[in-house]
Short mmCIF file of all heavy atoms in Angstrom, two decimals:
data_model
loop_
_atom_site.label_atom_id
_atom_site.label_comp_id
_atom_site.label_asym_id
_atom_site.label_seq_id
_atom_site.Cartn_x
_atom_site.Cartn_y
_atom_site.Cartn_z
N LEU O 113 -211.35 -220.51 87.01
CA LEU O 113 -210.69 -219.57 85.94
C LEU O 113 -209.45 -218.96 86.40
O LEU O 113 -208.40 -219.15 85.90
CB LEU O 113 -211.76 -218.55 85.53
CG LEU O 113 -211.44 -217.57 84.45
CD1 LEU O 113 -211.07 -218.29 83.19
CD2 LEU O 113 -212.55 -216.75 84.11
N THR O 116 -206.71 -221.45 87.69
CA THR O 116 -206.08 -222.26 86.62
C THR O 116 -205.04 -221.29 85.92
O THR O 116 -203.84 -221.51 85.85
CB THR O 116 -206.96 -222.86 85.54
OG1 THR O 116 -208.01 -223.55 86.27
CG2 THR O 116 -206.31 -223.62 84.56
N MET O 152 -220.57 -229.91 98.30
CA MET O 152 -221.15 -230.92 97.84
C MET O 152 -221.87 -231.81 98.88
O MET O 152 -222.83 -232.45 98.61
CB MET O 152 -220.26 -231.72 96.88
CG MET O 152 -219.83 -231.10 95.60
SD MET O 152 -221.06 -230.21 94.82
CE MET O 152 -222.21 -231.46 94.34
N LEU O 205 -203.22 -212.98 96.90
CA LEU O 205 -202.00 -212.33 97.40
C LEU O 205 -200.83 -212.74 96.66
O LEU O 205 -200.01 -211.98 96.22
CB LEU O 205 -201.83 -212.83 98.88
CG LEU O 205 -202.96 -212.46 99.85
CD1 LEU O 205 -202.69 -213.13 101.23
CD2 LEU O 205 -203.19 -210.98 100.05
N PHE O 242 -213.37 -209.61 98.64
CA PHE O 242 -213.74 -210.77 99.51
C PHE O 242 -213.75 -210.54 100.86
O PHE O 242 -214.61 -211.10 101.54
CB PHE O 242 -212.86 -211.93 99.07
CG PHE O 242 -213.36 -212.75 97.88
CD1 PHE O 242 -212.57 -212.85 96.77
CD2 PHE O 242 -214.57 -213.48 98.03
CE1 PHE O 242 -213.16 -213.49 95.67
CE2 PHE O 242 -215.07 -214.12 97.01
CZ PHE O 242 -214.35 -214.19 95.79
N VAL O 268 -242.18 -212.87 111.76
CA VAL O 268 -243.15 -214.01 112.08
C VAL O 268 -242.83 -215.26 111.44
O VAL O 268 -242.81 -215.39 110.28
CB VAL O 268 -244.62 -213.57 111.78
CG1 VAL O 268 -245.66 -214.62 112.27
CG2 VAL O 268 -244.89 -212.16 112.42
N LEU O 283 -228.86 -204.26 105.08
CA LEU O 283 -227.42 -204.12 105.48
C LEU O 283 -226.74 -205.28 104.82
O LEU O 283 -225.60 -205.12 104.30
CB LEU O 283 -227.34 -204.18 107.06
CG LEU O 283 -225.86 -204.31 107.60
CD1 LEU O 283 -225.15 -203.05 107.12
CD2 LEU O 283 -226.02 -204.36 109.16
N TYR O 322 -203.15 -201.29 72.83
CA TYR O 322 -202.73 -202.01 74.02
C TYR O 322 -202.98 -201.18 75.24
O TYR O 322 -203.49 -201.65 76.22
CB TYR O 322 -201.24 -202.38 73.81
CG TYR O 322 -200.57 -202.95 75.08
CD1 TYR O 322 -200.67 -204.27 75.40
CD2 TYR O 322 -199.83 -202.05 75.88
CE1 TYR O 322 -200.11 -204.81 76.56
CE2 TYR O 322 -199.19 -202.63 77.05
CZ TYR O 322 -199.40 -203.93 77.24
OH TYR O 322 -198.73 -204.49 78.42
N MET O 349 -234.31 -197.46 98.18
CA MET O 349 -233.18 -196.52 98.36
C MET O 349 -233.66 -195.05 97.91
O MET O 349 -234.62 -194.99 96.90
CB MET O 349 -231.93 -196.97 97.68
CG MET O 349 -231.81 -196.71 96.16
SD MET O 349 -230.11 -197.06 95.54
CE MET O 349 -229.46 -198.29 96.36
N ALA O 377 -211.27 -204.38 66.11
CA ALA O 377 -210.21 -203.74 65.30
C ALA O 377 -209.07 -204.62 65.12
O ALA O 377 -208.39 -204.67 64.16
CB ALA O 377 -209.89 -202.42 65.96
N SER O 443 -211.54 -221.11 75.83
CA SER O 443 -210.65 -220.57 74.91
C SER O 443 -209.18 -220.77 75.52
O SER O 443 -208.25 -221.27 74.77
CB SER O 443 -210.81 -219.15 74.59
OG SER O 443 -209.84 -218.54 73.89
N GLY O 454 -198.40 -230.88 77.33
CA GLY O 454 -197.45 -231.32 76.29
C GLY O 454 -198.09 -232.05 75.13
O GLY O 454 -197.38 -232.56 74.16
N ASP O 458 -207.77 -232.28 70.04
CA ASP O 458 -208.34 -232.47 68.76
C ASP O 458 -209.18 -231.27 68.19
O ASP O 458 -210.12 -230.76 68.73
CB ASP O 458 -209.26 -233.70 68.72
CG ASP O 458 -209.67 -234.10 67.35
OD1 ASP O 458 -208.77 -234.73 66.47
OD2 ASP O 458 -210.79 -233.93 66.96
N ARG O 490 -237.95 -214.60 87.90
CA ARG O 490 -237.04 -215.71 88.07
C ARG O 490 -237.27 -216.58 89.26
O ARG O 490 -237.93 -216.04 90.18
CB ARG O 490 -235.55 -215.13 88.01
CG ARG O 490 -235.26 -214.37 89.27
CD ARG O 490 -233.96 -213.53 89.22
NE ARG O 490 -232.85 -214.31 89.32
CZ ARG O 490 -231.65 -213.75 89.77
NH1 ARG O 490 -231.60 -212.50 90.14
NH2 ARG O 490 -230.56 -214.57 89.97
N TYR O 492 -239.03 -219.00 90.02
CA TYR O 492 -240.29 -219.61 90.20
C TYR O 492 -240.26 -221.09 89.90
O TYR O 492 -239.73 -221.42 88.84
CB TYR O 492 -241.51 -218.87 89.43
CG TYR O 492 -242.05 -217.68 90.26
CD1 TYR O 492 -241.21 -216.87 91.00
CD2 TYR O 492 -243.37 -217.37 90.13
CE1 TYR O 492 -241.74 -215.82 91.80
CE2 TYR O 492 -243.91 -216.30 90.94
CZ TYR O 492 -242.97 -215.46 91.72
OH TYR O 492 -243.53 -214.46 92.39
N VAL O 509 -240.05 -225.30 77.14
CA VAL O 509 -239.76 -226.65 76.57
C VAL O 509 -238.62 -226.42 75.57
O VAL O 509 -237.64 -227.18 75.60
CB VAL O 509 -240.91 -227.23 75.93
CG1 VAL O 509 -240.54 -228.60 75.25
CG2 VAL O 509 -242.05 -227.57 76.92
N ILE O 511 -236.37 -224.07 75.53
CA ILE O 511 -235.07 -223.73 76.15
C ILE O 511 -234.41 -224.88 76.73
O ILE O 511 -233.22 -225.25 76.68
CB ILE O 511 -235.45 -222.68 77.24
CG1 ILE O 511 -235.68 -221.32 76.64
CG2 ILE O 511 -234.12 -222.46 78.15
CD1 ILE O 511 -236.08 -220.23 77.69
N SER O 518 -226.88 -228.42 74.41
CA SER O 518 -225.61 -227.81 74.80
C SER O 518 -224.96 -228.62 75.80
O SER O 518 -223.63 -228.67 75.80
CB SER O 518 -225.85 -226.40 75.33
OG SER O 518 -227.00 -225.82 74.85
N ASP O 545 -196.97 -220.27 67.11
CA ASP O 545 -196.13 -219.14 66.80
C ASP O 545 -196.37 -217.94 67.62
O ASP O 545 -196.72 -216.83 67.09
CB ASP O 545 -196.27 -218.90 65.40
CG ASP O 545 -195.69 -220.06 64.45
OD1 ASP O 545 -194.98 -220.86 65.01
OD2 ASP O 545 -196.13 -220.10 63.27
N LEU O 549 -193.54 -215.38 76.71
CA LEU O 549 -192.50 -216.07 77.34
C LEU O 549 -192.81 -217.68 77.65
O LEU O 549 -191.80 -218.35 77.67
CB LEU O 549 -192.04 -215.40 78.74
CG LEU O 549 -191.10 -214.25 78.73
CD1 LEU O 549 -190.71 -213.97 80.13
CD2 LEU O 549 -189.82 -214.68 77.89
#
Side-chain angles (χ1 to χ4, degrees):
Chain O
L113 180 55
T116 304
M152 293 321 297
L205 299 175
F242 270 117
V268 181
L283 175 60
Y322 171 83
M349 86 171 26
S443 169
D458 185 77
R490 67 195 279 209
Y492 272 36
V509 174
I511 292 177
S518 328
D545 293 339
L549 272 187

